[in-house]
Amino acid sequence: MENSDGTRSALIVGAGIAGLTTASALARRGWSVEVVETGSEGATAGWGLSLTGPSLRALDGLGLADHCLAAGYGMSVITNVDANGVTTPIELPHLIGDDRPAMAGIARPELHRILRAEALRLGTRIHYELGISRLAQRDGRARAELTDGTVRTVDLLVGADGIRSTVRDLIGRPTPIRYHGQMVWRALVPRPGWATSIHTFAGDGHQTGVVPISPSQAYVFLTENGVRPDVLPDAELAARMGDLLAPFTGRIAEIRPEVARSDSVIRRPVQTALVDAPWSDGASVVLGDAAHAPSPQMASGAALAIEDGLVLAQELDRYEDIWKALEAFTDRRRERCSVLVKTSVAIARLEQEQRHRDSYPLIEACHQRMAQPA
């Protein structure tokens, strides 16, 4: 990617939410962008996610918020029900106008389709089943050797390769991945008619809930406490999740049969990672989960990842010197992302202590803080 016309070049490692939004943000500003992804084309992890207000605000900056709202399910409230049946609603801030929802649930494949189509429309080149094996700084640029033996020398290298980031290690930022004693289950089900917003239900041992992701679909989540991060056979997941939901009554009992026969159940450990050192080294930087991976309790990992791409592009506009731009990017993002990660860990701890009602004010306060400009 040696450009003789003065166009700045970027190589992005990872074609997930962070990588694709960063690609679009840079390509909109005239960068020549290439993305490499170790996974196969069309592969996505999980069934759905929440696009909170900051997510929609950042997507609106890319012209994609309405596309995501059309493909997903708009909402404005989180309805929390504790073990005694007491309901505590959380009204979410509207960040893209009162006439549009405060947040949206969306299927991961739909979000990926929208982000990938936009990146490709803007001229980004995406290569699948390809990763990075070596990285060096040379004459102020990043020199990356890829897993197929080819080499790219670029003005900017972005590690958007997730919580187990290879780029993070290559730039000398080893970061522990912490497990928080919880496993999160998710099952894709038909959307119940009453599920017009996120609903959570606290039990004596675990917590569950329903997140609509389209007019016809929702996913049921269950947070299992006090377990090791082991792996179960896929064939057992639906029945096991159904068993864990058995103590819940009311609305969860009504949809439990749908969960038990679902062919779309996943189980993942609740893990976090936070890079304490500078996120950049020379012309290379990490962002998204590679720099700050929260637990799912705040449903804001996507928000941070999407914001990262836009903020990085803004700082690169401000500074001609890319190294200085990357330092400014870290300075601008560190506190916001750190607060989100640490808050998500605190909520996970309260859930394990069965202090669900204590977690609700913390969740609301963090959403209000995240509503501040990125």
Side-chain angles (χ1 to χ4, degrees):
M1 296 180 70
E2 300 279 2
N3 298 309
S4 58
D5 61 357
T7 300
R8 296 196 288 183
S9 59
L11 175 66
I12 299 173
V13 182
I17 295 172
L20 291 174
T21 51
T22 302
S24 291
L26 293 176
R28 277 173 168 260
R29 290 164 164 82
W31 285 69
S32 173
V33 183
E34 187 173 13
V35 178
V36 295
E37 164 60 49
T38 57
S40 57
E41 184 173 356
T44 55
W47 308 125
L49 54 77
S50 298
L51 295 173
T52 58
S55 303
L56 294 177
R57 179 173 58 193
L59 287 166
D60 212 28
L62 291 172
L64 298 177
D66 287 328
H67 293 283
C68 291
L69 289 170
Y73 193 93
M75 301 170 283
S76 297
V77 179
I78 299 174
T79 302
N80 298 301
V81 182
D82 70 11
N84 297 317
V86 178
T87 298
T88 303
I90 296 176
E91 294 280 346
L92 297 169
H94 289 253
L95 303 185
I96 58 171
D98 292 339
D99 59 333
R100 290 193 279 181
M103 70 178 301
I106 191 169
R108 281 184 179 269
E110 283 294 299
L111 177 60
H112 187 270
R113 175 187 61 78
I114 292 168
L115 298 181
R116 181 177 181 273
E118 179 68 1
L120 290 173
R121 185 186 72 82
L122 293 168
T124 300
R125 290 158 288 166
I126 305 175
H127 310 285
Y128 293 93
E129 299 182 24
L130 184 62
I132 184 172
S133 56
R134 295 171 188 253
L135 177 61
Q137 307 296 326
R138 180 172 297 176
D139 298 326
R141 307 179 83 207
R143 183 183 186 277
E145 183 176 327
L146 305 184
T147 51
D148 64 356
T150 60
V151 173
R152 306 290 193 276
T153 300
V154 292
D155 297 308
L156 171 68
L157 185 134
V158 178
D161 49 344
I163 192 170
R164 292 175 177 79
S165 171
T166 298
V167 174
R168 188 176 64 216
D169 292 337
L170 290 174
I171 67 171
R173 303 293 186 269
T175 299
I177 298 173
R178 304 189 187 282
Y179 173 64
H180 297 281
Q182 295 177 311
M183 298 292 288
V184 174
W185 300 69
R186 290 184 177 90
L188 191 64
V189 299
R191 184 183 68 84
W194 52 264
T196 56
S197 66
I198 294 177
H199 284 69
T200 75
F201 303 89
D204 292 333
H206 310 303
Q207 183 181 38
T208 188
V210 179
V211 181
I213 59 174
S214 77
S216 62
Q217 288 186 312
Y219 71 84
V220 177
F221 72 85
L222 181 132
T223 307
E224 183 183 13
N225 291 314
V227 289
R228 295 184 302 172
D230 56 354
V231 177
L232 300 176
D234 289 347
E236 297 180 10
L237 293 180
R240 290 282 293 272
M241 186 174 179
D243 291 343
L244 289 169
L245 290 173
F248 292 89
T249 58
R251 285 174 163 174
I252 292 300
E254 294 172 10
I255 60 176
R256 179 177 164 236
E258 297 283 359
V259 173
R261 59 174 172 261
S262 175
D263 60 359
S264 302
V265 179
I266 58 173
R267 179 176 181 262
R268 298 286 187 267
V270 173
Q271 298 175 319
T272 62
L274 182 63
V275 177
D276 288 330
W279 299 352
S280 63
D281 179 57
S284 302
V285 67
V286 291
L287 47 66
D289 280 357
H292 46 73
S295 71
Q297 274 79 359
M298 278 301 303
S300 295
L304 294 185
I306 299 166
E307 285 182 345
D308 276 353
L310 269 71
V311 172
L312 176 62
Q314 290 168 4
E315 294 302 321
L316 288 163
D317 276 351
R318 290 179 59 204
Y319 292 92
E320 184 176 347
D321 185 317
I322 289 177
W323 293 28
K324 289 183 179 179
L326 300 186
E327 292 173 358
F329 165 72
T330 300
D331 290 343
R332 184 172 163 187
R333 297 295 291 162
R334 183 189 298 281
E335 181 182 3
R336 181 179 179 85
C337 297
S338 176
V339 166
L340 192 284
V341 172
K342 292 175 181 178
T343 300
S344 73
V345 170
I347 295 167
R349 186 181 307 115
L350 290 172
E351 288 179 352
Q352 293 183 83
E353 295 171 356
Q354 303 301 303
R355 296 168 57 194
H356 298 286
R357 289 196 63 81
D358 290 337
S359 74
Y360 303 152
L362 194 59
I363 293 170
E364 184 169 17
C366 193
H367 278 298
Q368 291 296 331
R369 181 162 183 167
M370 286 289 290
Q372 298 302 310

